[in-house]
Amino acid sequence: MTEEPRGRLRTYKGTGVSPGIAIGRALILEKRGGSIYRVPIRPDDVAKELRRFDQAIAHTKAEIEDLREKVTRSMGDEYASIFDAHAMIIEDPSFVDEIRQRIESELISAEWAVTTVKDELLARFDSFEDAYLRERGEDISDVARTLIESLEGNARHDLSEIEHDVIILADDVTPSDAVHYNRKPIVGFATESGGRTSHTSIIAKSIFLPAVIGVPRLTEMIDNEELVIIDGWEGTIHVNPSRAMIEECLSRERRHREQEGRLLENRDVPPVTRDGRTVTLRANIELVPEVNDAIRFGAEGIGLYRSEFLYISKSPDLPSEDEHYEVYRELLEKMSPNTTIIRTFDLGGKKLAREVIGSDEDNPVLGLRGLRLCMRHRDMFRTQLRALYRASVHGDLWIMFPLVSNLQEVRHVKALLKEIERQLEAEGIEFRKDIPVGIMIEVPAAALIADILATEVDFFSIGTNDLIQYSLAIDRGNENVEYLYEPFHPGVLRMIRGVIRAGSEANIPVSLCGEMAGDPIFTAILLGLGLEHFSMSPASIPMVKSVITNLKYSDSRRIAEQALLRKTAQEIEEYVIEQVATRIPQGLSRFG
Amino acid sequence: MIEREIEISNKLGLHARAAAKLVHTAARFASDIKVKKGSEEVDGKSILGVLLLAAAKGSKITISADGSDENEAIESIQQLFDDKFDESE
């Protein structure tokens, strides 16, 4: 803990996943069970913090006493005596005085002081040889947890009390954390782990929060309160920047914004190639307010609404039918008459579904997730589907199911939809009868049987993030194999080509809503493979549109054809970049 | 001041419940009470101190009491160990 920032300029390199410059004071976020922030406090606030701690002790004592009584009644005195130990721990000066002392001398929040003292004690217990005694550390954990819960109950340390801008630094940030960062004083964040296409990165981008990920040992190398610049374009973090450096970053920010402004001028230009082929550019969003960004950047509809964020923001509770309905209605009304494709809950895998699944899985990414999870938890699913049907009268709703791997799944879910329709009819509730029903193609086997699947659905959307990671058998968030994440892999491109062909032969629309759709480097080849519907983060739309309006469809056909004759991802990438660079005056950049 | 060496014979050693009983008993007396295992000495009235001794069955500890009621204190504590903290074996 430092009160005196180290003062030295340092620069760390990571991966920029959300563009922009953010300047603020470092706030290190520690994740241990709940979110406990290492929040610094002002010397003036020490007395207040100590009072808060004393109240928490009183509350914890009462709670332990209460528990003791309950257990005595139900199980007898012998069992209840375990709470004697808890009651003693909370009164033990070597515990509580130590915490008080740290609040005073280190100027930290009570929550953080409890956490550090507890962790140090646990480390000592962990070193015991006797297994039974070692496990007694649990008693300390228990008491510490109750203490922290009471602290959080009383005047929880609210980030909104912090008056200056802060940059969150953490070993990892979950999508649900990121959703909540969408407000002051948080202006940016950086993490030790994570991949470019992780959901956290997607969210950061969608709420325009500059973010840098994948900086090893970040939280150890930077101290709380140090001045930090996050450069989401370059993927760098500058600590204790000079005035000149701040100026330089800000002017770069201005240049980028100006460029973005120029791109935004094409907002109302239709996405048509120079030789007259029209495509649609829709937006991927997860939060309702992003509809405004979608409109601002010129999206012609929502190509992917990730409804699971509705769940994540309410977790651990499930949204009610009316809560679902209100969100969908608002989306549809705002986007009308354009299409809004709503994807049903894509939970599971790494996406926080433990409350729903109820247990950990050995291999969650290949486990109960996506449509599989929803079909297992029918009540939850019915609630969502009923709300979707009810909302369908407010706009052009298309419903999409994630992670389908065979035809049976499609048939089962369609049977469920029929059931919902009958139910709503019986209840006299109005809904649209012709809602298009589609699936995500993100499992390699599904891509290979796209012709079969196309006979039973109204549209496809290719989810390249998962499709790539499953077909290449690499975890896109794993730094060790991230180099193998190759969207230009000929196997990946052949699969995409196959799905687009199958769709076109069956006369159903095919869209692509993975990260590839929003990265201008892929625009020409996707266009050339015959893709007509692109869906991407709203901010990517102007750049992709400018690539499209500068290309000829006939040229991109040739580029795609020639590219697919090449044998490695690298050869294809080099070829495509070279071909496109000569046709696009402003050149290609990954971040518009 | 009086001291007494005790070998821990209850099955689970000075675990939470036994430690709680020891601390509870020690706290009834005005005397300073220390518990020592090897080179480590802790306050007999602090549960964390006693737990952190990690005194398993078979280990030897030394209890000391210093004060006006030291005799009574040491006898009461000895009694706890003799009764194996009333645990069922």
Side-chain angles (χ1 to χ4, degrees), chain A residues 180-471:
Chain A
H180 293 120
Y181 289 173
N182 192 13
R183 56 167 188 232
K184 283 273 176 190
I186 297 167
V187 294
F189 73 86
T191 66
E192 297 179 356
S193 57
R196 177 184 282 277
T197 56
S198 72
H199 289 98
T200 304
S201 309
I202 292 170
I203 302 232
K205 220 169 170 175
S206 67
I207 57 181
F208 301 102
L209 200 63
V212 171
I213 62 166
V215 186
R217 296 185 34 249
L218 171 75
T219 57
E220 294 160 41
M221 298 185 303
I222 301 177
D223 290 329
N224 259 321
E225 291 287 282
E226 283 195 291
L227 189 65
V228 171
I229 300 184
I230 299 277
D231 184 334
W233 280 294
E234 312 231 310
T236 48
I237 303 173
H238 306 292
V239 186
N240 290 310
S242 62
R243 182 163 287 277
M245 185 177 247
I246 295 176
E247 287 300 322
E248 189 199 310
C249 286
L250 289 176
S251 84
R252 193 168 48 238
E253 168 89 348
R254 267 194 306 277
R255 279 199 306 277
H256 278 285
R257 294 292 168 221
E258 278 161 22
Q259 193 198 353
E260 187 184 280
R262 276 196 302 278
L263 284 169
L264 269 179
E265 286 167 11
N266 72 10
R267 203 192 93 113
D268 299 318
V269 173
V272 182
T273 63
R274 285 173 51 203
D275 53 353
R277 179 165 169 102
T278 303
V279 297
T280 59
L281 303 182
R282 297 188 183 123
N284 295 343
I285 64 166
E286 34 274 320
L287 310 167
V288 176
E290 289 174 81
V291 174
N292 302 324
D293 301 322
I295 294 167
R296 187 164 71 88
F297 286 107
E300 302 161 277
I302 301 298
L304 171 64
Y305 170 66
R306 299 184 171 97
S307 68
E308 56 275 11
F309 286 92
L310 231 178
Y311 164 78
I312 290 167
S313 55
K314 293 243 177 284
S315 162
D317 297 322
L318 288 167
S320 68
E321 185 179 313
D322 283 341
E323 282 167 338
H324 275 288
Y325 168 78
E326 284 305 325
V327 168
Y328 304 150
R329 185 179 56 83
E330 194 180 342
L331 281 176
L332 287 161
E333 280 175 352
K334 283 193 162 158
M335 284 322 292
S336 194
N338 285 320
T339 300
T340 297
I341 303 180
I342 296 181
R343 179 175 74 186
T344 58
F345 277 170
D346 186 16
L347 292 167
K350 286 179 179 166
K351 265 186 277 175
L352 328 138
R354 251 175 91 190
E355 294 92 337
V356 181
I357 301 175
S359 66
D360 285 328
E361 296 177 297
D362 281 344
N363 206 344
V365 172
L366 304 179
L368 192 58
R369 46 169 293 215
L371 181 61
R372 305 162 186 177
L373 177 74
C374 287
M375 290 303 274
R376 176 73 70 85
H377 295 272
R378 287 296 165 93
D379 286 344
M380 173 184 91
F381 200 24
R382 276 203 183 90
T383 303
Q384 180 173 35
L385 294 173
R386 281 178 57 98
L388 282 166
Y389 270 79
R390 280 174 55 199
S392 66
V393 294
H394 299 287
D396 186 29
L397 168 70
W398 297 16
I399 300 178
M400 176 160 79
F401 301 106
L403 203 80
V404 168
S405 59
N406 67 43
L407 189 64
Q408 273 319 90
E409 287 177 293
V410 175
R411 289 181 174 157
H412 286 151
V413 75
K414 284 174 77 181
L416 178 62
L417 292 179
K418 281 270 163 282
E419 206 182 298
I420 303 254
E421 285 177 21
R422 278 196 298 273
Q423 213 178 59
L424 291 171
E425 257 160 11
E427 293 171 34
I429 294 171
E430 212 193 332
F431 62 90
R432 244 182 57 204
K433 297 260 158 48
D434 55 349
I435 305 171
V437 171
I439 55 174
M440 297 271 295
I441 301 286
E442 49 191 341
V443 174
L448 295 170
I449 60 160
D451 57 327
I452 299 171
L453 295 168
T455 60
E456 302 246 357
V457 299
D458 303 313
F459 67 96
F460 287 150
S461 186
I462 310 175
T464 43
N465 299 355
D466 274 341
L467 186 63
I468 295 169
Q469 84 167 345
Y470 292 144
S471 45

